[in-house]
Amino acid sequence: MSQPVGQVLQAFLDECKSRYYTFSPTERLGLHALIFILCVAFVFYVVWQPISDWHYQKKVQYESNQQLINWMKKQEGKLAHVPKGKKRSSNQSLVTLVTRTSQSYQVPLVRYEPKGSTGVRVWLDNVVFNKMIKWLEVLDQQYSIKAVNISIDKQEGSGRVKATIVLVG
């Protein structure tokens, strides 16, 4: 028959106590120092190190986002002086125009859906940021289609982004 876990644990603790009391005072001091060092190492590797690594990653991510924001603000000044484009003809569908121009500017749409009577929401994935900006610039200048809401996330690869854009025109 097997013994309950509590009895086995109690027997183990009793054995540890009896061995502990057989140690000399200097051996006990060494054992205390070893236990202390193991506790400190446990706290460092299990608690402190993961928190420190997480903090460093978030700091790097924050700095990267700040650089992207600063770059976007510089680009905003360049785009502010661009002359406005012509209105699209009334027989051109907004969705058709958006899909056609996205293909010609190598900005593949993952998904799109109408947004009210004068808008469309598009999803882009793993597109080159500069091509997306050029495409949005052409939509604004040539067809007076404006991006009224945009969400951009950086992706793996240089200059690649994932975006959700609401276009109105």
Side-chain angles (χ1 to χ4, degrees):
M1 288 247 156
S2 67
Q3 298 177 349
V5 175
Q7 289 178 350
V8 172
L9 185 59
Q10 186 63 42
F12 175 74
L13 290 176
D14 290 341
E15 178 68 25
C16 288
K17 282 181 188 178
S18 67
R19 285 191 183 187
Y20 175 77
Y21 290 118
T22 62
F23 292 154
S24 69
T26 54
E27 289 173 329
R28 287 184 198 167
L29 185 61
L31 183 60
H32 291 177
L34 178 63
I35 291 171
F36 177 76
I37 290 171
L38 290 175
C39 288
V40 168
F42 176 80
V43 168
F44 178 77
Y45 286 109
V46 175
V47 177
W48 182 259
Q49 189 67 35
I51 290 173
S52 177
D53 290 346
W54 176 83
H55 180 264
Y56 176 75
Q57 289 172 349
K58 293 301 173 184
K59 182 180 176 185
V60 168
Q61 183 181 12
Y62 173 79
E63 290 170 356
S64 174
N65 288 342
Q66 285 300 112
Q67 288 175 352
L68 179 62
I69 288 170
N70 291 337
W71 180 83
M72 290 174 77
K73 286 181 181 177
K74 287 179 185 176
Q75 300 308 313
E76 180 182 41
K78 293 177 184 177
L79 294 177
H81 304 299
V82 175
K84 300 297 176 196
K86 306 172 209 163
K87 269 284 202 203
R88 62 183 163 88
S89 62
S90 59
N91 62 350
Q92 287 181 307
S93 163
L94 178 64
V95 173
T96 304
L97 190 59
V98 167
T99 56
R100 186 175 40 115
T101 57
S102 72
Q103 291 169 354
S104 63
Y105 282 89
Q106 299 172 342
V107 179
L109 303 179
V110 174
R111 184 174 144 207
Y112 60 89
E113 68 181 24
K115 180 89 170 148
S117 61
T118 61
V120 64
R121 174 179 284 150
V122 296
W123 285 264
L124 311 172
D125 192 20
N126 201 25
V127 297
V128 177
F129 180 79
N130 290 338
K131 287 183 180 181
M132 180 186 73
I133 293 298
K134 182 66 177 167
W135 172 63
L136 291 172
E137 181 182 5
V138 166
L139 287 175
D140 182 37
Q141 289 177 0
Q142 293 181 9
Y143 303 103
S144 295
I145 298 173
K146 307 219 178 295
V148 294
N149 190 347
I150 187 166
S151 172
I152 301 174
D153 295 317
K154 185 177 179 182
Q155 295 213 298
E156 294 295 323
S158 179
R160 298 246 174 218
V161 296
K162 177 180 183 176
T164 304
I165 307 169
V166 176
L167 300 166
V168 175

